[in-house]
């Protein structure tokens, strides 16, 4: 069909393609109309709007812009994006039409559907993958045919391959490289036990996902020792040499059909060399020259390329790449045993910068922050057809795709979740042990000699290596499988330690614990406790500082600051516990980068009592409580060590539940607390509820959405020095409610200033009398929000607001009214704020 000349033709092709339901198209057009926005006349720019809003994916937009609207379905699957292309076929990110599950679908090229060798090998790969079920090997779900399309359905893995990881970010940390090789060896050990040799191990066929899991990909060249008549398929088609020249073992260059698992170990050794140096063992020369070097030459010594690599690791790589198979590790299990000392300490999963980015429609609602590439630009193709240029990080695959600059499209329908995702300030944990690990144990085939025996082999026939399409990864434990074996010597650690909470076995008992409670019981001053399993299910935990200061300065956090760990109570009734975490008399405690789900089984997610000097709750999500997500009872801190609740996402669904409850009395008021940069989302009763006196409390730079009341003050003793400043209140019945109190005890020194109220029935509400201690100045409201009734007119006055210049970066920018989100507000750094 011709290229669409206008938007009407473009929309007509979208409807014909079937990739988007008519209701979603209509909803998009309605939002544009409601925002009084003008759709650009050029289809290429209109397409960028649809991609940015999550209506189309990059691939769908590119194809439809070129007049292609057919074949967006492969059997039961809808095509979303193209992930890669190789000699064995194309790989697409697809969605099951009924189950909505995202999968990777490898399609045999139509040109090869009648090619017996290509078709047989394609189904051979399906059988190879289907025979394997291991966390470090990509899984297959189905193999099928749709007309003349033969396709293999596999798990979709959201990650990058090790080749691209090193190419873009440089050689890996030594400990990290050891973990990745250990996990790969675990997958090969399992495959070897199933009678399968991979025959194409290389960095591009090993993936690591966002959670740090390592998976071996692409079994298209796998050699079966069971039920395949000694590799009869490739013999039948006279294919002597299979594999990739940069990592091919010497014996595989002579005859690919007679190799065993030691060929994969050699290739994995070459991969190890690449991870540590950023270069293949023999990067120069033709294919024939590289194959000859693998048989006769030694790669440049690791010590010259990377002097800090321990001698023991150098020896491990040398033994993996020994020319004579008899000098190599006999099995991947032997290799894992020698790597064990170097994988005792868990590593952090990859950073977001190392991970690929996908269109919003491709990832759905699961992770909106991955939705748009960091930079995009308008371009044209050689045929004169405008195209969308997009580079995918999946397996190094590249698509010829680019969308128009997203800034050209107004953001009135911007996904609030993407606009309000906070940036973690947590430091990335070190991946290096604190002391040198013990040397690998000596075995019958010693690894100490870095110069294994050479053996010259005859160079056999050479065939072109097959480029294999790459798929994505699944969950592993920080890039490793079974770190450690019973009896392995643990590093000696003095001073503050890092403790790990995981239910995985085989860890060092000195630093790993099955429960948070057991880790807290063993923690000392300055220790960091990292939770590694997601979700983490455990009965409620009490954290109480003792007189000796044992828990002073302790940090509790997710194992990887770039990801989250959800803490949940076990199913069933729970007695005697009010909150999942109960904090009493803490000193310098920090809890960050966690989600706590009370699952409607507990009154609170977190309770806080007693002296809380220096307490920090940072970047937490709290939800599922019956009474309040956060309960602060008679908690007090020193003025110079105020408690701080920063970047909390507090979600409330129960109608009688509060976000935060502050409870104090005349003798012990809540004291010295800062609540800032938090989001309160839900249909609960109060975002913040002061029950009784509070002193020196700041509630600032927060966003409150859809509660009955924003802030409620009640109790006979009033509040003193409470500042409610620079907050946004949206879709509330009452912004600030001052409940009836005896006339002799009015609130004292409550400051309401620089707040913005939108769609609030009343901004302020209180009894029909004046509150001399209340100060309400320089607040702003939209036209749908009333100032309030029954209040001192001066105190309740809500002024209009004049927009500051666009380049103004002062605190007043917090009140800037814009069109980027339903809350119509921007923060001091011009970042959209509001509920999500």
């Amino acid at each position: 069909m011709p290229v669409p000349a206008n938007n009407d033709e473009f929309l007509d092709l979208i409807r014909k393609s079937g990739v988007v339901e008519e209701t979603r198209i209509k909803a998009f057009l309605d939002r544009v109309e409601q925002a009084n926005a003008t759709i650009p006349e050029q289809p290429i720019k209109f397409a960028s709007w649809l991609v940015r809003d999550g209506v189309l994916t990059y691939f769908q937009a590119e194809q439809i812009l070129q007049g292609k609207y057919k074949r967006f379905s492969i059997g039961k699957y809808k095509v979303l994006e193209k992930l890669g292309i190789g000699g064995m076929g194309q790989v697409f990110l697809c969605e099951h039409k009924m189950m909505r599950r995202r999968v990777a679908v490898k399609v045999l090229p139509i040109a090869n559907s009648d090619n017996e060798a290509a078709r047989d090998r394609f189904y051979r790969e399906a059988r190879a993958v289907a025979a394997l079920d291991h966390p470090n090997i990509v899984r297959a779900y189905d193999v099928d045919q749709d007309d003349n399309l033969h396709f293999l359905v596999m798990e979709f893995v959201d990650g990058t391959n090790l080749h691209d990881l090193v190419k873009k970010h440089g050689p890996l940390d030594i400990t990290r490289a050891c973990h990745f090789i250990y996990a790969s060896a675990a997958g090969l050990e399992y495959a070897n036990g199933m009678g399968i040799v991979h025959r194409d191990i290389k960095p591009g066929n090993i993936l690591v996902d966002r959670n740090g899991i390592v998976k071996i990909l692409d079994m298209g060249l796998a050699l079966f020792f069971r039920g395949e008549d000694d590799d009869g398929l490739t013999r039948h088609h006279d294919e002597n040499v299979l594999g990739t020249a940069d990592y091919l073992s010497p014996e595989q260059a002579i005859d690919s059909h007679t190799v065993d698992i030691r060929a994969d170990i050699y290739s994995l050794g070459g991969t190890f060399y690449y991870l540590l140096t950023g270069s293949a063992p023999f990067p120069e020369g033709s294919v024939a020259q590289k194959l000859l070097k693998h048989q006769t030459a030694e790669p440049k010594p690791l010590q010259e390329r990377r002097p800090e690599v321990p001698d023991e690791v150098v020896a491990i790589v040398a033994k993996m790449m020994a020319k004579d198979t008899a000098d190599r590790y006999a099995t991947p299990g032997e290799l894992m045993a020698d790597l064990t000392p170097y994988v005792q300490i868990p590593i952090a999963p990859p950073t977001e910068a190392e991970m690929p980015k996908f269109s919003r429609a491709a990832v759905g609602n699961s992770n909106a922050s991955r939705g748009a590439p960091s930079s995009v630009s308008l371009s044209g193709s050689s045929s004169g057809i405008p195209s969308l240029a997009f580079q995918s990080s999946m397996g190094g695959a590249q698509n010829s795709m680019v969308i128009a600059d997203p800034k050209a499209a107004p953001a009135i329908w911007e996904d609030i979740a993407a606009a309000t995702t906070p940036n973690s300030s947590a430091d990335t944990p070190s991946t290096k042990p604190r002391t040198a690990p013990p040397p690998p144990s000596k075995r019958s085939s010693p690894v100490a000699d870095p110069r294994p025996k050479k053996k010259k082999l005859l160079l056999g026939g050479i065939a072109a290596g097959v480029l294999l399409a790459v798929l994505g990864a699944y969950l592993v434990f920080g890039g490793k499988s079974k770190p450690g074996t019973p009896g392995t010597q643990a590093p000696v650690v003095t001073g503050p330690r890092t403790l790990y909470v995981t239910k995985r076995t085989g860890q060092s008992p000195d630093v790993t614990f099955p429960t948070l409670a057991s880790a807290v019981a063993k923690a000392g001053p300055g220790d960091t406790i990292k939770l590694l399993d997601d979700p983490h299910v455990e009965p409620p935990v009490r954290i109480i500082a003792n007189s000796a200061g044992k828990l002073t300065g302790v940090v509790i956090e997710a194992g990887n600051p770039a990801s989250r760990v959800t803490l949940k109570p076990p199913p069933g009734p729970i007695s005697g516990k009010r909150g999942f975490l109960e904090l009493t008399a803490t000193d310098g405690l920090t809890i960050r980068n966690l989600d706590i789900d009370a699952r409607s089984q507990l009154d609170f997610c977190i309770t806080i009592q007693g002296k809380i000097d220096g307490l920090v709750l940072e970047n937490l999500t709290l939800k599922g409580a019956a009474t309040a997500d956060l309960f602060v009872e008679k908690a007090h801190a020193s003025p110079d060590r105020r408690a701080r609740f920063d970047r909390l996402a507090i979600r409330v669904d129960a109608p009688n539940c509060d976000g935060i409850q502050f409870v104090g009395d005349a003798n012990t008021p809540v004291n010295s607390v800062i609540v800032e940069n938090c989001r309160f989302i839900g249909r609960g009763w109060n975002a913040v509820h002061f029950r009784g006196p509070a002193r020196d409390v700041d509630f600032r730079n927060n966003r409150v959405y859809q509660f009955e009341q924003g802030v409620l003050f009640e109790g006979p003793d009033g509040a003193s020095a409470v500042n409610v400043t620079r907050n946004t209140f949206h879709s509330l019945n009452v912004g600030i409610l001052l409940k009836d109190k005896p006339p002799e005890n009015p609130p004292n020194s409550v400051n309401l200033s620089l707040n913005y109220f939108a769609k609030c029935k009343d901004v302020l509400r209180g009894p029909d009398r004046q509150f001399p201690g209340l100060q309400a100045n320089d607040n702003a409201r939209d036209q749908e929000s009333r100032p309030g009734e029954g209040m001192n007119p001066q105190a309740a006055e809500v002024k209009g607001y004049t927009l500051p210049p666009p380049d103004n970066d002062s605190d007043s920018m917090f009140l800037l009214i814009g069109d980027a989100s339903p809350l119509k507000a921007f923060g001091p750094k011009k970042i959209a704020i509001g509920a999500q």
Side-chain angles (χ1 to χ4, degrees):
M1 189 169 179
V3 172
N6 53 53
N7 290 337
D8 288 339
E9 292 183 2
F10 182 57
L11 284 173
D12 184 53
L13 288 179
I14 293 175
R15 293 184 173 99
K16 287 182 177 179
S17 72
V19 297
V20 182
E21 300 87 350
E22 180 63 32
T23 55
R24 292 192 62 200
I25 298 175
K26 185 178 183 303
F28 170 83
L29 297 175
D30 288 345
R31 288 195 296 272
V32 174
E33 182 178 355
Q34 292 169 7
N36 295 320
T38 302
I39 294 176
E41 296 180 359
Q42 303 94 329
I44 178 73
K45 293 185 178 179
F46 184 32
S48 74
W49 285 35
L50 294 167
V51 170
R52 187 163 185 255
D53 196 40
V55 179
L56 293 178
T57 67
Y58 298 119
F59 177 73
Q60 293 166 349
E62 178 198 37
Q63 297 297 300
I64 295 173
L65 281 169
Q66 297 181 38
K68 302 174 183 178
Y69 64 91
K70 298 180 180 180
R71 273 299 186 194
F72 281 102
S73 290
I74 303 174
K76 299 170 286 190
Y77 301 93
K78 179 171 71 175
V79 177
L80 301 178
E81 295 283 15
K82 182 189 288 185
L83 298 179
I85 184 169
M88 285 298 294
Q90 299 182 77
V91 185
F92 296 92
L93 171 61
C94 297
E95 180 184 71
H96 193 286
K97 295 176 182 177
M98 296 298 294
M99 300 173 64
R100 299 297 177 94
R101 179 176 66 180
R102 280 165 170 74
V103 294
V105 176
K106 177 181 285 190
V107 179
L108 182 69
I110 294 178
N112 291 339
S113 60
D114 294 329
N115 183 307
E116 183 182 0
R119 190 177 61 248
D120 288 348
R121 176 161 295 133
F122 187 80
Y123 281 96
R124 174 191 182 83
E125 176 179 358
R127 291 194 299 273
V129 181
L132 305 176
D133 184 11
H134 189 271
N136 298 122
I137 299 176
V138 68
R139 290 181 173 89
Y141 297 139
D142 192 13
V143 63
D144 206 344
Q145 181 177 351
D146 182 7
D147 292 332
N148 58 344
L149 284 182
H150 301 267
F151 61 94
L152 171 65
V153 183
M154 310 176 80
E155 61 177 322
F156 166 57
V157 248
D158 186 0
T160 186
N161 66 61
L162 298 186
H163 177 272
D164 286 355
L165 181 65
V166 173
K167 183 179 180 181
K168 295 176 182 178
H169 302 279
L172 301 185
D173 172 88
I174 296 168
T175 303
R176 195 181 189 199
C178 290
H179 274 285
F180 290 167
I181 296 301
Y182 186 102
S184 303
L188 291 178
E189 177 75 0
Y190 171 81
N192 185 46
M194 298 292 290
I196 294 177
V197 181
H198 189 285
R199 295 196 298 183
D200 197 23
I201 293 296
K202 59 184 178 181
N205 274 345
I206 301 173
L207 239 81
V208 57
D209 79 347
R210 294 178 189 273
N211 295 288
I213 271 233
V214 172
K215 253 188 193 188
I216 297 173
L217 315 169
D218 236 330
M219 302 300 295
L221 299 183
L223 169 61
F224 290 77
F225 287 113
R226 299 177 182 177
E228 288 292 335
D229 190 23
D230 295 326
D231 202 22
L233 175 64
T234 51
R235 287 186 183 278
H236 174 69
H237 296 288
D238 195 26
E239 296 165 344
N240 295 321
V241 180
L242 297 170
T244 303
D246 280 330
Y247 303 95
L248 200 70
S249 69
E251 68 274 16
Q252 194 168 337
I254 294 177
D255 187 352
S256 299
H257 314 300
T258 59
V259 299
D260 58 23
I261 193 63
R262 291 173 293 183
D264 285 347
I265 291 174
Y266 182 95
S267 300
L268 189 61
T271 299
F272 204 172
Y273 187 95
Y274 174 79
L275 300 185
L276 293 171
T277 67
S279 170
F282 304 106
E284 306 295 335
S286 65
V287 171
Q289 290 170 331
K290 290 179 181 180
L291 295 178
L292 183 60
K293 287 179 181 179
H294 278 293
Q295 298 178 66
T296 62
E298 293 291 342
K300 187 173 182 178
L302 258 176
Q303 297 97 325
E304 293 183 19
R305 291 183 176 270
R306 194 85 180 270
E308 69 270 27
V309 177
D311 291 342
E312 293 82 6
V313 174
V314 172
I316 289 173
V317 177
K319 184 172 181 179
M320 294 172 72
M321 296 188 67
K323 305 300 183 185
D324 193 332
T325 57
D327 293 332
R328 282 181 223 150
Y329 292 100
T331 67
E334 289 186 6
L335 167 62
M336 293 167 66
D338 272 356
L339 282 173
T340 292
Y342 301 95
V343 294
Q344 291 300 298
I345 302 299
I347 60 172
T351 64
E352 278 300 308
E354 295 174 322
M355 290 289 100
K357 295 183 182 298
F358 293 97
S359 61
R360 182 163 297 162
V363 300
N365 295 323
S366 60
N367 193 338
S369 65
R370 301 183 217 162
S374 56
S375 62
V376 284
S377 59
L378 185 63
S379 70
S381 68
S382 58
S383 63
I385 301 172
S387 66
L388 300 173
F390 168 66
Q391 181 170 332
S392 169
S393 298
M394 290 297 295
Q398 294 185 7
N399 299 334
S400 178
M401 273 190 70
V402 172
I403 70 167
D405 186 348
K407 295 179 181 178
I412 46 172
W413 53 85
E414 183 73 11
D415 189 311
I416 303 175
T420 60
T421 300
N423 294 321
S424 172
S425 62
D427 294 331
T428 302
S430 172
T431 58
K432 296 183 179 181
R434 301 186 184 204
T435 60
S441 57
K442 306 300 179 182
R443 291 176 177 78
S444 56
S445 298
V447 71
D449 181 9
R451 292 287 181 269
K453 169 181 167 185
K454 297 181 181 179
K455 184 172 182 179
K456 190 169 184 178
L457 302 177
L458 178 65
L459 177 63
I462 301 173
V466 180
L467 297 175
L468 302 176
V470 190
L471 302 178
Y474 187 57
L475 290 175
V476 225
F477 174 56
K480 58 224 157 280
S481 286
K482 299 179 288 186
T485 56
T488 301
Q489 179 181 347
V492 177
V493 180
T494 59
R497 302 174 301 163
T498 299
L499 310 180
Y500 300 92
V501 179
T502 176
K503 297 189 184 300
R504 294 178 181 266
T505 59
Q507 310 300 311
S508 169
D510 295 327
V511 295
T512 55
F513 303 88
T515 65
L516 176 58
S518 59
V520 168
K522 293 293 185 181
D527 282 355
T528 297
I529 300 174
K530 294 182 178 293
L531 294 104
L532 302 178
D533 300 340
D534 185 28
H536 177 84
V537 179
E538 180 177 353
V541 180
R542 287 179 176 171
I543 301 176
I544 305 174
N546 60 24
S547 58
K550 180 175 177 289
L551 294 179
T552 301
V554 167
V555 175
I556 301 173
E557 62 182 5
N560 173 28
S563 63
R564 313 286 293 183
V565 170
T566 299
L567 283 66
K568 299 179 180 180
I574 298 175
S575 60
K577 297 287 186 180
R578 296 182 302 167
F580 185 88
L581 294 181
E582 297 190 348
L583 316 180
T584 303
T586 62
D587 185 7
L589 175 67
T590 297
I591 303 175
R592 62 192 178 200
N593 301 335
L594 298 171
D595 299 338
I596 300 178
D597 184 358
R599 300 173 66 169
S600 301
Q601 298 170 246
L602 301 168
D603 289 336
F604 313 102
C605 293
I606 300 178
T607 66
I608 302 173
Q609 295 177 302
K611 194 167 181 62
I612 53 171
D613 282 356
L615 173 66
V616 175
L617 304 182
E618 184 179 71
N619 196 20
L620 306 178
T621 297
L622 308 179
K623 65 179 182 179
T627 302
D629 282 341
L630 181 57
F631 183 71
V632 184
E633 181 179 27
K634 301 179 182 179
H636 50 95
S638 304
D640 59 341
R641 299 187 65 199
R642 300 173 73 188
R644 181 168 58 89
F645 308 153
D646 183 16
R647 288 177 291 124
L648 307 185
I650 295 179
R651 305 178 183 278
V652 176
D653 294 319
N656 297 318
C657 184
D658 292 336
I660 301 178
Q661 277 192 15
F662 291 102
V663 178
D665 60 26
N667 295 323
T668 315
V670 172
N671 188 42
S672 297
V673 177
I674 301 171
V675 181
E676 60 184 358
N677 306 315
C678 298
R679 291 164 292 160
F680 297 78
I681 305 106
R683 302 186 182 277
W685 186 244
N686 306 289
V688 180
H689 188 175
F690 288 93
R691 294 171 49 197
R695 308 282 188 266
D696 191 24
V697 176
D698 283 298
F699 184 81
R700 64 197 185 199
N701 295 349
N702 301 294
R703 281 73 86 189
V704 179
Y705 185 62
Q706 288 188 327
F707 283 78
E708 184 70 12
Q709 284 94 220
V711 181
L712 169 62
F713 294 92
E714 72 167 348
D717 298 299
S720 178
V722 175
N723 299 301
V724 181
T725 58
R726 299 198 302 274
N727 304 287
T728 297
F729 298 89
H730 194 282
S731 300
L732 310 174
N733 186 36
V734 181
I736 309 295
L737 177 61
L738 303 167
K739 207 165 183 180
D740 280 315
K741 301 179 181 69
E744 66 272 18
N745 289 307
N748 180 27
S749 301
V750 174
N751 173 37
L752 310 176
S753 63
L754 291 174
N755 300 290
Y756 178 63
F757 298 85
K759 294 186 179 180
C760 296
K761 184 176 180 181
D762 284 341
V763 171
L764 300 173
R765 184 184 293 175
D768 188 14
R769 54 188 174 74
Q770 297 187 6
F771 288 81
L774 175 65
Q775 303 175 39
N777 300 302
D778 296 320
N779 298 285
R781 61 181 174 89
D782 65 358
Q783 294 181 350
E784 297 182 52
S785 300
R786 300 186 307 176
E789 298 177 356
M791 297 292 298
N792 179 344
Q794 285 72 38
E797 181 181 4
V798 179
K799 301 178 181 179
Y801 195 77
T802 302
L803 297 183
D807 58 349
N808 190 324
D809 200 31
S810 67
D811 286 343
S812 61
M813 282 293 291
F814 190 84
L815 299 177
L816 176 62
I817 302 173
D819 290 327
S821 79
L823 297 184
K824 297 184 178 180
F826 281 80
K829 300 298 181 184
K830 305 177 186 178
I831 299 173
I833 61 173
Q836 72 173 16

